Amino acid sequence: MLNEYVSDISSEDSKKVSSKEHGGIALFSQTLSRHGLQLNRNNTHTLQVNLGMLCNQTCRHCHLDAGPGRKENMDAETTREVISYAQSGKFETIDITGGAPELNPNIGMLIEEVFSLAPRIMLRSNLSALNDGGREYLIELLKAHRVVIVASFPSLNETQTDSQRGSRIFQITIDALKKLNAMGYGREGSGLELNLVSNPTGAFLPPNQAQTEKRFRQVLKRKWGIVFNNLFNFANVPLGRFRQWLVETNNLDKYMEKLYSSFNPCSVDGLMCRSLVSVSWDGYLYDCDFNLARDLFMGGHKIHVSEMSGPPQPHSHIATADHCYTCTAGSGFT
Ligand code: SF4
């Protein structure tokens, strides 16, 4: 079942499968064509750096299958190559992710070197790795360089969160948010931005973002006095551990159909792959972090960051596959 859905990445493969449908789901490229659309790059202004698959948690919804047993972590040499690329690329945003990027020993060097290269530096954090008692230096570094923190906070329900992310994670996350608030993160006028990311705990699409943000704001403030800037409500991507869970619970077909039937052609213009390039722990380039998880290289070509002299060219090809339906379902995923 895992292989039933396919990628339409290379023109070669695309020719082989272009007339077929899989499990009732048309190839993503076919759906785009049917709507008279093409998915090509615009100007690339965001460099996303994936520091590795190592994580202290084993969340059920993880599209990367990251966890404590993973060994892939960006080394110092590759980190320096990424820094050189950031220097030449003149990116507006540098977006640092993982796994749990806090666990990579080179994260301090990366932040120190890139903070002056782009107006906006972001760190995606599960909060438990940041608040594990041994990372005070990193928290201070983030504050000093006004790094935007984008924190996973899947649910307001403690039981649901712990079952999705691990025992006691909910309480550890609440403690971390309180600590960040105390430092000024999420507080108006502080210049320290704290955004939350919530995602469904099962095989369904997220509810309305504005309503979810309002509810999270009210409950977090009332129960724990926690404030934040924005909340993003993302659908889970059917890759990695989440895909495995969909298969095991016999939900993959249903979930794919839901994504497919929610295809919104208006979301294509704002897809993040049009303006972002993602570099993996070993220095290879992808159109986004989901393609990285699927091993679909940028535009279908295996290119190392050390071979690039600047951002990918506007109009260049973007590799796609069935998981792209996650980004175009409903109001989209940017
Ligand atoms: S998964 Fe989403 S962001 Fe990535 S290439 Fe597909 S549409 Fe673009």
Side-chain angles (χ1 to χ4, degrees), residues 154 198-209 212 215 232-238 242 245-246 251-264 322-333:
S198 136
N199 52 284
T201 47
F204 44 90
L205 298 182
N208 175 280
Q209 176 154 309
T212 309
R215 192 164 57 86
F232 305 108
N233 207 0
F234 292 146
N236 290 314
V237 183
F242 184 62
W245 178 82
L246 289 170
N251 271 307
L252 181 61
D253 284 354
K254 232 182 337 181
Y255 190 65
M256 292 307 301
E257 278 157 23
K258 212 171 287 177
L259 296 177
Y260 175 58
S261 61
S262 307
F263 179 80
N264 173 9
D322 63 355
H323 60 271
C324 293
Y325 283 115
T326 320
C327 303
T328 52
S331 50
F333 191 147

Side-chain angles (χ1 to χ4, degrees), residues 76 99-100 125 154 162 215 233 308:
S125 172
D162 287 356
R215 192 164 57 86
N233 207 0
M308 289 287 284

Side-chain angles (χ1 to χ4, degrees), residues 1 34 39 55-56 59 96 107 122 160 214 227 270 282-284 312 324:
M1 182 64 72
R34 217 174 34 244
L39 184 54
C55 188
N56 59 324
C59 301
I96 302 168
I107 188 172
M122 282 167 49
Q160 261 177 11
K214 191 172 167 197
V227 292
D282 54 357
Y284 288 96
C324 293

Side-chain angles (χ1 to χ4, degrees), residues 28 39 271-273 287-288 290-291 318-320 323-324 327:
F28 187 72
L39 184 54
L271 290 174
M272 63 180 163
C273 50
D287 292 304
C288 71
F290 308 135
N291 284 6
I318 292 171
T320 58
H323 60 271
C324 293
C327 303

Side-chain angles (χ1 to χ4, degrees), residues 216-269:
F216 272 60
R217 212 178 274 294
Q218 284 169 346
V219 175
L220 285 174
K221 178 84 176 136
R222 177 167 47 81
K223 286 196 171 173
W224 298 285
I226 290 169
V227 292
F228 61 91
N229 296 95
N230 305 290
L231 178 135
F232 305 108
N233 207 0
F234 292 146
N236 290 314
V237 183
L239 291 172
R241 204 174 296 121
F242 184 62
R243 194 173 186 105
Q244 192 61 45
W245 178 82
L246 289 170
V247 170
E248 283 163 8
T249 55
N250 212 15
N251 271 307
L252 181 61
D253 284 354
K254 232 182 337 181
Y255 190 65
M256 292 307 301
E257 278 157 23
K258 212 171 287 177
L259 296 177
Y260 175 58
S261 61
S262 307
F263 179 80
N264 173 9
C266 300
S267 64
V268 173
D269 194 40

Side-chain angles (χ1 to χ4, degrees), residues 99-117:
E102 298 94 330
L103 304 185
N104 187 304
N106 301 304
I107 188 172
M109 166 171 75
L110 180 67
I111 292 172
E112 290 281 15
E113 294 292 329
V114 299
F115 88 92
S116 59
L117 301 178

Side-chain angles (χ1 to χ4, degrees), residues 127 153 170-171 173-181 185-187 194 196 216-229:
L127 292 179
F153 192 81
F170 186 83
Q171 195 50 53
T173 305
I174 290 287
D175 292 345
L177 289 174
K178 284 184 182 170
K179 186 174 183 171
L180 291 171
N181 276 178
Y185 266 103
R187 298 205 178 275
L194 173 63
L196 303 185
F216 272 60
R217 212 178 274 294
Q218 284 169 346
V219 175
L220 285 174
K221 178 84 176 136
R222 177 167 47 81
K223 286 196 171 173
W224 298 285
I226 290 169
V227 292
F228 61 91
N229 296 95

Side-chain angles (χ1 to χ4, degrees), residues 65-83:
D65 210 5
R70 298 293 298 260
K71 304 278 181 250
E72 304 91 331
N73 232 2
M74 189 177 282
D75 61 20
E77 188 186 340
T78 309
T79 308
R80 279 191 284 273
E81 287 170 335
V82 169
I83 293 165

